[in-house]
Amino acid sequence: MTALDLSSPVAVVGTGTMGQGIAQVALVAGHPVRLYDALPGRARQAAEAIGARLDRLVEKERLSAADRDAARARLLPAETLAELAGSALVVEAVLERLDVKQELFRELEDIVGDDCLLATNTSSLSVTAIGGALRVPGRFVGLHFFNPAPLLPLVEVVSGFATDVTYATRAYETARAWGKTPVACADTPGFIVNRIARPFYAEAFAVYEAQGADPATIDAVLRESGGFRMGAFELTDLIGQDVNESVTRSVWESFFQDVRFTPSLAQRRLVESGRLGRKTGQGWYDHRDGAERPEPDTAERRQPPAYVVAEGDLGPAADLLALIREAGIQVREEDEDNGTRLVLPSGGQLALADGQTSVEFRDVVYFDLALDYRKATRIALSASQDTAPQTLAEAIGLFQALGKKVTVIGDVPGMIVARTVARIIDLAHDAVAKGVATEEDIDTAMRLGVNYPLGPFEWSRRLGRSWAYALLDDLHLRDPSGRYAPSLALYRHAHASDQREGNAS
């Protein structure tokens, strides 16, 4: 089944921000579009608002005046659902309540033709459950656009349990014909993006709740070391704490309160206090006029060590050796089986975050994962109360000599970026193993849907097959709640590598 012909009418029910955005996408693509809203007059107001946005596109020379006029002529507000008869596709963007959506589609099924594709833009409800109210659930799919729909390219095309593959294919090809980047996924809580993105927020909040670092510092490390566009605290302030927590809670409850998706108590308190982020003026940060943005914790200048001893190749942090030499610091290399650490002149050690804590060892400072150690502008270190001050000072001075700002956080296993990336990789492998989506679609979804610098499988290939498993396994030993227990899929992925290497030797 191919994409809908451009002559085929598309209807959008619900004229809020998302409904208007979806209508604009279909309209600019060339379809006749019908708008309906249950509140009298809202559809006409929405049509006027879309027309105004088309005017702005003309002003920005992104749309010709002729195309704008033609699009306006194809946009028709509807006063009743009955006026949607003859639509080839109806997309719903109404209140996120199962009963409301089910009742709407029951009514639509009596109005539209038997071959009309019915779609929901839900982000948190089960596509299967919504479609379960229909006589013909095979033509029902999820078309999850991201806000703002006219700008963001990703569309998750969600097949419910009863969705016919021919209709899913039609939805997929139609989204692509509209200039979007569709990804196919099964009906699972959170679909792709909202399922796999949970650790990005959860681990930042967990580090904060453990008093490992403050929000501004954690955000700075995620941006300046991890390469993420925004930190978890500033991003949830932008999204809205109530909205973000609601999605987390929905995924958690839909997975029968799976501990891997447990909501944050600190975020719950923020929501309860009415501090919802930018829209209320306060969230994790103070957004009121005149408020100063807190600065991340940054270590004072320290003297760099005269030399370091490299035991092994540092694994994912191997690029540091070249940077250290370029900074004029001598690197003495020693062959060590499984060695992935630097020994400092004081005798203390500097090691990449691995899920263990500094307090377990004599004089060890951990450093966090970076997307690119050459381009990173900040590096986080962690140490315990037993770490020798000279060792910490040398570690700080070393990274400062490489041109990095240095943040020292508490003795948090897995630190900030490393534990976040490891958990994202784990959930991605688990999703593929359970048939949610392909590796390629998951990487595409996470890069386009939430602007991650790399997709989970791109991270996994860069870091090595066993890296995420080893880190999470160590974290699980220190927090046996199950939150960090590696999935069976990740275990198999790591073990398959070890098995091949063993057979080859």
Side-chain angles (χ1 to χ4, degrees):
M1 216 177 244
T2 57
L4 293 175
D5 186 271
L6 291 181
S7 63
S8 302
V10 172
V12 177
V13 180
T15 59
T17 301
M18 185 57 77
Q20 289 184 33
I22 296 169
Q24 181 179 327
V25 170
L27 191 65
V28 172
H31 289 273
V33 174
R34 298 166 180 172
L35 279 175
Y36 173 77
D37 196 287
L39 292 176
R42 285 289 296 273
R44 192 164 299 280
Q45 293 172 8
E48 292 171 357
I50 292 170
R53 284 198 290 275
L54 296 179
D55 288 340
R56 288 195 289 273
L57 290 178
V58 173
E59 292 169 5
K60 296 176 181 179
E61 299 183 348
R62 297 178 183 172
L63 187 70
S64 71
D67 286 342
R68 174 201 57 196
D69 294 342
R72 278 183 162 174
R74 295 194 302 271
L75 182 59
L76 300 173
E79 295 299 325
T80 66
L81 272 180
E83 294 176 55
L84 306 188
S87 297
L89 165 64
V90 181
V91 184
E92 162 275 316
V94 302
L95 189 66
E96 281 286 275
R97 273 181 45 187
L98 180 61
D99 59 335
V100 171
K101 294 179 187 291
Q102 287 179 327
E103 179 58 30
L104 169 64
F105 283 109
R106 274 194 290 261
E107 291 183 44
L108 282 169
E109 202 171 29
D110 292 332
I111 293 169
V112 299
D114 290 343
D115 61 346
C116 177
L117 177 63
L118 300 177
T120 175
N121 184 59
T122 186
S123 61
S124 61
L125 299 176
S126 165
V127 171
T128 300
I130 300 171
L134 299 178
R135 294 191 307 274
V136 187
R139 61 170 166 172
F140 187 75
V141 300
L143 276 178
H144 182 217
F145 290 77
F146 288 73
N147 195 27
L151 296 180
L152 295 186
L154 185 70
V155 178
E156 292 177 318
V157 181
V158 186
S159 293
F161 187 78
T163 301
D164 190 305
V165 66
T166 56
Y167 284 98
T169 301
R170 176 183 286 179
Y172 184 97
E173 294 300 334
T174 297
R176 185 158 63 179
W178 290 356
K180 296 301 181 182
T181 303
V183 292
C185 65
D187 184 21
T188 185
F191 309 142
I192 298 175
V193 173
N194 281 331
R195 171 177 177 156
I196 295 173
R198 293 349 293 164
F200 179 74
Y201 312 108
E203 294 313 306
F205 298 160
V207 172
Y208 167 75
E209 290 174 339
Q211 300 187 51
D214 61 85
T217 298
I218 295 169
D219 278 353
V221 172
L222 286 168
R223 289 193 314 269
E224 299 172 40
S225 183
F228 293 96
R229 186 166 296 184
M230 298 180 74
F233 296 90
E234 57 190 342
L235 180 55
T236 52
D237 265 3
L238 178 63
I239 295 169
Q241 298 302 331
D242 53 339
V243 174
N244 181 260
E245 199 233 13
S246 175
V247 173
T248 298
R249 188 167 294 277
S250 173
V251 172
W252 174 62
E253 290 174 349
S254 296
F255 275 116
F256 309 105
Q257 300 186 353
D258 186 329
V259 69
R260 295 176 302 167
F261 302 101
T262 301
S264 161
L265 181 58
Q267 188 180 38
R268 175 94 291 257
R269 293 292 179 257
L270 208 62
V271 172
E272 289 173 340
S273 70
R275 298 188 175 193
L276 307 182
R278 289 181 179 272
K279 61 187 176 183
T280 61
Q282 286 182 287
W284 296 111
Y285 298 102
D286 190 340
H287 301 280
R288 293 172 296 183
D289 291 342
E292 292 186 8
R293 180 70 175 261
E295 292 294 324
D297 183 64
T298 303
E300 296 181 358
R301 296 295 304 180
R302 296 288 191 274
Q303 285 294 317
Y307 68 90
V308 295
V309 178
E311 295 184 348
D313 63 3
L314 297 188
D319 288 348
L320 281 177
L321 297 180
L323 294 177
I324 293 170
R325 291 189 178 97
E326 291 169 17
I329 299 171
Q330 182 184 7
V331 177
R332 303 173 184 172
E333 296 192 52
E334 293 185 1
D335 290 334
E336 283 282 335
D337 290 339
N338 299 318
T340 55
R341 64 186 67 85
L342 294 173
V343 180
L344 300 164
S346 62
Q349 297 181 7
L350 187 59
L352 176 62
D354 58 6
Q356 302 182 87
T357 57
S358 182
V359 75
E360 299 172 54
F361 305 97
R362 178 183 175 276
D363 222 10
V364 169
V365 173
Y366 281 105
F367 63 94
D368 208 350
L369 180 68
L371 172 67
D372 184 327
Y373 283 98
R374 185 172 292 277
K375 295 179 180 179
T377 57
R378 182 181 298 273
I379 295 293
L381 305 179
S382 69
S384 75
Q385 66 272 19
D386 297 329
T387 303
Q390 181 61 23
T391 297
L392 181 57
E394 288 176 346
I396 293 170
L398 174 64
F399 282 103
Q400 288 174 337
L402 306 186
K404 317 298 183 187
K405 295 177 182 177
V406 176
T407 285
V408 180
I409 70 170
D411 190 14
V412 178
M415 301 191 68
I416 298 171
V417 179
R419 71 197 290 179
T420 299
V421 170
R423 287 208 60 216
I424 289 170
I425 289 172
D426 182 46
L427 290 187
H429 277 279
D430 185 53
V432 169
K434 291 176 178 173
V436 173
T438 64
E439 291 185 8
E440 293 77 13
D441 276 357
I442 287 175
D443 275 354
T444 297
M446 302 314 290
R447 280 189 280 100
L448 297 183
V450 278
N451 289 312
Y452 282 5
L454 293 174
F457 294 97
E458 292 173 314
W459 269 114
S460 184
R461 288 188 291 272
R462 176 181 289 197
L463 296 169
R465 293 179 66 93
S466 62
W467 179 84
Y469 175 81
L471 187 143
L472 291 175
D473 195 40
D474 277 337
L475 266 170
H476 178 55
L477 289 173
R478 286 149 187 83
D479 179 358
S481 64
R483 178 189 182 102
Y484 300 104
S487 67
L488 180 59
L490 190 64
Y491 172 82
R492 285 172 172 157
H493 179 74
H495 183 71
S497 174
D498 294 338
Q499 189 175 58
R500 280 198 297 272
E501 290 169 3
N503 291 339
S505 59

